[in-house]
Amino acid sequence: MFAITVREIDQTKNSNRGYFQQTPFWCSFKEKHGWNYQKFEVEYSLEEHNLQKKEEIGVLTRSFAKGTFTLAYIPLFPELPFKGVLAKDQGIEFCHLLNDLALSLKPYLPKNTICVRFDPAVDFSRPEERDEFVYGTQLISFADRLKVRKTKVDIQPPDSTQIDLTPSEEEILNNMKTKWRYNVNLSSRKGVLIEKINGNSEDLDQKLDIFYDLYKITAERDGIGIHPKSYYKDLLTSSSSMIAEGKDVPEVNLYIAKHEEDYLGAIITLFSKDESIYLYGCSSNVKRNLMPNFLLQWTAMKDAKQYGSKYYDMYGMPPTDDPNHPMHGLYLFKTGFGGNNIHRIGSYDVSLKFIYRYYVKAENFRAFWHKKVLKKIRGR
């Protein structure tokens, strides 16, 4: 359906705009932690609709099972083909675009690549609309005999809330729930202090130890996985060193909340020219009544606004206000800051080899084991 041309291009050109997962900074960082990074110029057109677009995209590949097979991953790309057209009216073109893009990229990928996994930049304001669109794409793929499949495992969190940073600080505060404004002020009045650390800070190692100890507490409490400490250090130092060299790359910071001699919580954020992201967060089990996490987030939001970001993304939460959801408290916390909820469609695969079906079965079992079985065991 689509006419597509692909050209591999220089991946070292810096860019601090767009989705952070597509910035050369982030892709190069992931390359240091198990992935390979290629950058392409992709031009695609649809003559009958007078559509023509040219995009630059980062593609990450990773080998598994001692190099037996490779997975290609494209974060936050593509968008829906047409502007000003309802999403439900362009499901056919969207499915064909994913299919045709994957097949056009195939010659540039490792020969043992079993699929191209997309996390499309397609979002909705209501989860019901998102779910209806996803269901429609599955029917279209089957009817048109495409190799496009919606995955059960999403790479990027599909549901989030984004706080608009363009108003004044007073307006941003007024958009929060009353209790959230109160908690921000309470934390400050009670003497909670927020320290900001970057990759060039002299006491980085000490502060990173504090962060990691808090993260281990949180991981044990909430049943989540964490990276090695070196991963977070490399993220901070890579950003700071490149900024010191005059390169226009996202700014990564660590914020730590302290009261007297107790460290209460910490977050890691990423600021770019278009968005700021709350990447990682953790908290202790003491003095939770001082509401340090509210002050942590508000401090980061103010810094992100001063940096020039358009919005602050809370980056991951349950899709709805369901009191029975195990992460319902997280939904309440993040939405209380007055953001706009978004619901992305999650990950889609285009299979390239027969072995893909076996990989998916193994991946689904692994997700079930970690999310259901191990989480229940840890919760006992």
Side-chain angles (χ1 to χ4, degrees):
M1 177 178 282
F2 284 85
I4 300 178
T5 58
V6 174
R7 182 172 65 90
E8 192 163 6
I9 58 176
D10 179 19
Q11 59 182 247
T12 61
K13 180 182 177 183
N14 294 313
S15 174
N16 196 8
R17 293 199 174 276
Y19 298 109
F20 82 92
Q21 300 96 330
Q22 275 290 336
T23 60
F25 165 78
W26 185 260
C27 291
S28 297
F29 168 71
K30 298 301 286 186
E31 190 171 32
K32 293 191 289 184
H33 294 272
W35 295 82
N36 293 311
Y37 168 40
Q38 295 170 275
K39 192 172 184 181
F40 299 95
E41 180 184 81
V42 177
E43 189 170 358
Y44 55 95
S45 60
L46 198 58
E47 187 174 348
E48 58 265 36
H49 290 279
N50 197 29
L51 172 72
Q52 187 163 359
K53 289 187 176 183
K54 184 184 290 187
E55 309 272 4
E56 292 185 3
I57 61 169
V59 179
L60 298 169
T61 56
R62 187 165 190 167
S63 295
F64 296 90
K66 297 182 179 180
T68 304
F69 63 89
T70 297
L71 175 75
Y73 175 56
I74 306 178
L76 277 295
F77 180 85
E79 297 179 344
L80 289 171
F82 309 113
K83 299 291 186 183
V85 179
L86 293 175
K88 65 182 182 67
D89 294 330
Q90 47 183 319
I92 294 175
E93 291 82 5
F94 174 73
C95 285
H96 279 269
L97 178 58
L98 292 184
N99 192 81
D100 296 349
L101 280 169
L103 295 179
S104 297
L105 286 166
K106 182 180 178 180
Y108 299 88
L109 303 174
K111 290 183 179 181
N112 64 347
T113 301
I114 62 171
C115 74
V116 177
R117 176 163 293 180
F118 295 89
D119 256 314
V122 177
D123 58 69
F124 296 83
S125 58
R126 297 174 58 245
E128 296 83 4
E129 295 175 342
R130 181 264 308 279
D131 296 343
E132 182 180 353
F133 178 83
V134 169
Y135 179 70
T137 61
Q138 294 174 309
L139 294 179
I140 292 166
S141 180
F142 177 79
D144 289 4
R145 298 183 178 180
L146 303 176
K147 296 183 177 181
V148 178
R149 301 288 183 270
K150 176 69 185 77
T151 67
K152 291 184 179 179
V153 177
D154 292 316
I155 304 298
Q156 304 298 328
D159 304 284
S160 188
T161 187
Q162 298 174 340
I163 294 90
D164 183 5
L165 297 178
T166 56
S168 67
E169 289 186 8
E170 182 179 1
E171 290 173 304
I172 296 172
L173 275 170
N174 287 335
N175 287 334
M176 296 181 190
K177 291 182 179 178
T178 304
K179 184 66 173 177
W180 270 240
R181 290 196 301 274
Y182 175 83
N183 287 341
V184 168
N185 291 325
L186 179 146
S187 187
S188 181
R189 290 198 315 271
K190 293 294 184 178
V192 174
L193 302 176
I194 307 298
E195 185 176 358
K196 180 179 179 181
I197 301 100
N198 62 39
N200 288 333
S201 299
E202 292 183 0
D203 56 353
L204 173 63
D205 288 334
Q206 176 194 354
K207 300 303 183 184
L208 202 60
D209 286 343
I210 294 168
F211 162 79
Y212 205 69
D213 287 343
L214 290 170
Y215 215 166
K216 287 188 290 186
I217 292 172
T218 303
E220 180 66 25
R221 184 179 64 226
D222 298 340
I224 60 175
I226 62 176
H227 295 287
K229 189 192 305 182
S230 57
Y231 180 92
Y232 306 103
K233 182 177 181 179
D234 189 28
L235 180 59
L236 287 157
T237 55
S238 295
S239 170
S240 293
S241 62
M242 294 178 76
I243 291 173
E245 293 170 2
K247 296 178 180 178
D248 188 19
V249 300
E251 178 182 299
V252 180
N253 295 301
L254 167 64
Y255 293 85
I256 297 179
K258 181 181 180 181
H259 182 260
E260 296 174 344
E261 299 303 315
D262 296 311
Y263 291 99
L264 309 183
I267 61 175
I268 291 179
T269 61
L270 178 149
F271 300 163
S272 77
K273 296 295 175 61
D274 288 323
E275 61 180 1
S276 288
I277 309 291
Y278 163 36
L279 283 177
Y280 310 106
C282 50
S283 59
S284 74
N285 294 323
V286 302
K287 298 184 178 179
R288 299 171 73 89
N289 61 307
L290 298 184
M291 306 299 170
N293 294 330
F294 292 85
L295 188 59
L296 275 168
Q297 295 294 346
W298 174 234
T299 303
M301 286 178 204
K302 290 190 294 181
D303 288 350
K305 176 177 174 58
Q306 185 175 5
Y307 181 87
S309 299
K310 298 173 184 175
Y311 60 87
Y312 185 87
D313 194 326
M314 282 293 189
Y315 205 50
M317 67 181 191
T320 63
D321 185 12
D322 178 4
N324 295 317
H325 194 286
M327 302 298 286
H328 181 238
L330 185 69
Y331 179 94
L332 295 178
F333 174 72
K334 292 189 174 184
T335 57
F337 288 95
N340 297 311
N341 294 353
I342 64 164
H343 306 278
R344 294 196 173 111
I345 60 176
S347 301
Y348 277 73
D349 285 349
V350 178
S351 63
L352 300 178
K353 290 188 180 295
F354 182 80
I355 193 178
Y356 165 76
R357 64 180 62 187
Y358 299 106
Y359 169 77
V360 169
K361 288 181 180 180
E363 183 181 57
N364 292 341
F365 176 77
R366 181 178 182 275
F368 170 80
W369 179 260
H370 282 271
K371 292 183 178 180
K372 302 294 184 181
V373 179
L374 289 184
K375 212 163 194 178
K376 181 176 284 188
I377 293 173
R378 290 183 184 125
R380 289 177 179 172

